[in-house]
């Protein structure tokens, strides 16, 4: 009798991710205690599948949560560019018009919104409150229903502004 043990995915990164890339993402998710190993896995996934937006999300989160805000910001910009290109809309969040497929969870539009939210968070961490507020204003315009949960970052920004006053 041949028994196969299926290991459940640690994280659901999205649909239509090639199995080898998903395997790298899963291994990285299980290696968060070893930053260098997780980073290597994600960079390999990025090289092998440069159009897979979930790879960028995983990579900028790894950098951000480990205190590498400059690297996180760089990857967020890469994600924004890729998502805009894939979604067929302009990259510049200040000028992009609502109307992309923001509602579909695995869409380039949704990845773009999540990346904007991440950029606002990065900017708050970098003490760039004005830029964070401008990004949050664009998010409010593009996502008035707040499907990506930017209200959490807005609340944090308001709290930080109160502390500064």
């Amino acid at each position: 009798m041949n028994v196969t043990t299926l290991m459940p995915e640690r994280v659901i990164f999205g649909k239509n991710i090639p199995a080898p890339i998903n395997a790298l993402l899963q291994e990285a998710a299980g290696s968060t205690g070893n930053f260098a190993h997780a980073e290597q896995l994600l960079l390999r996934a990025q090289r092998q599948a440069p159009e897979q937006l979930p790879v960028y999300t995983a990579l900028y989160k790894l950098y951000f949560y480990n205190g590498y805000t400059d690297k996180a910001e760089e990857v967020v910009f890469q994600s924004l560019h890729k998502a805009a290109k894939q979604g067929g809309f302009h990259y510049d969040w200040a000028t992009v018009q609502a109307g992309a497929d923001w509602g579909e969870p695995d869409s380039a539009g949704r990845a773009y919104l999540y990346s904007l939210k991440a950029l606002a968070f990065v900017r708050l961490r970098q003490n760039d409150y004005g830029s964070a507020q401008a990004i949050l204003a664009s998010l409010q315009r593009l996502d008035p229903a707040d499907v990506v949960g930017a209200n959490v970052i807005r609340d944090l920004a308001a709290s930080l502004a109160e502390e500064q006053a």
Side-chain angles (χ1 to χ4, degrees):
M1 177 194 282
N2 198 1
V3 177
T4 303
T5 303
L6 297 176
M7 189 165 127
E9 292 185 338
R10 295 178 192 281
V11 178
I12 306 297
F13 289 96
K15 299 177 192 169
N16 303 319
I17 299 173
I21 301 307
N22 191 48
L24 290 169
L25 292 170
Q26 295 303 322
E27 188 176 347
S31 300
T32 56
N34 183 343
F35 173 81
H37 183 64
E39 179 187 37
Q40 291 248 329
L41 293 165
L42 294 175
L43 290 172
R44 185 173 356 147
Q46 186 183 39
R47 282 190 306 275
Q48 291 178 11
E51 298 306 315
Q52 286 291 321
L53 297 173
V55 172
Y56 293 86
T57 304
L59 188 54
Y60 68 62
K61 285 183 175 184
L62 177 73
Y63 285 140
F64 182 82
Y65 291 122
N66 283 279
Y68 298 101
T69 56
D70 289 342
K71 284 186 173 187
E73 181 180 47
E74 180 182 319
V75 177
V76 167
F77 279 119
Q78 292 171 9
S79 179
L80 288 166
H81 279 283
K82 295 276 185 190
K85 182 178 179 184
Q86 288 179 26
F89 50 87
H90 197 276
Y91 157 80
D92 182 3
W93 56 86
T95 60
V96 70
Q97 299 298 310
D101 190 4
W102 309 123
E104 181 61 36
D106 289 320
S107 70
R110 182 73 67 91
Y112 183 85
L113 294 178
Y114 273 116
S115 294
L116 272 182
K117 176 183 167 185
L119 183 58
F121 200 21
V122 166
R123 294 288 170 85
L124 285 177
R125 267 282 181 79
Q126 294 171 332
N127 298 318
D128 187 351
Y129 303 117
S131 179
Q133 290 293 354
I135 294 165
L136 290 168
S138 289
L139 262 172
Q140 178 107 30
R141 179 177 53 78
L142 294 171
D143 182 20
D146 197 25
V147 296
V148 297
N151 62 325
V152 173
I153 308 303
R154 273 188 208 89
D155 291 347
L156 177 61
S159 176
L160 289 171
E162 280 181 25
E163 287 179 14
Q164 298 297 318

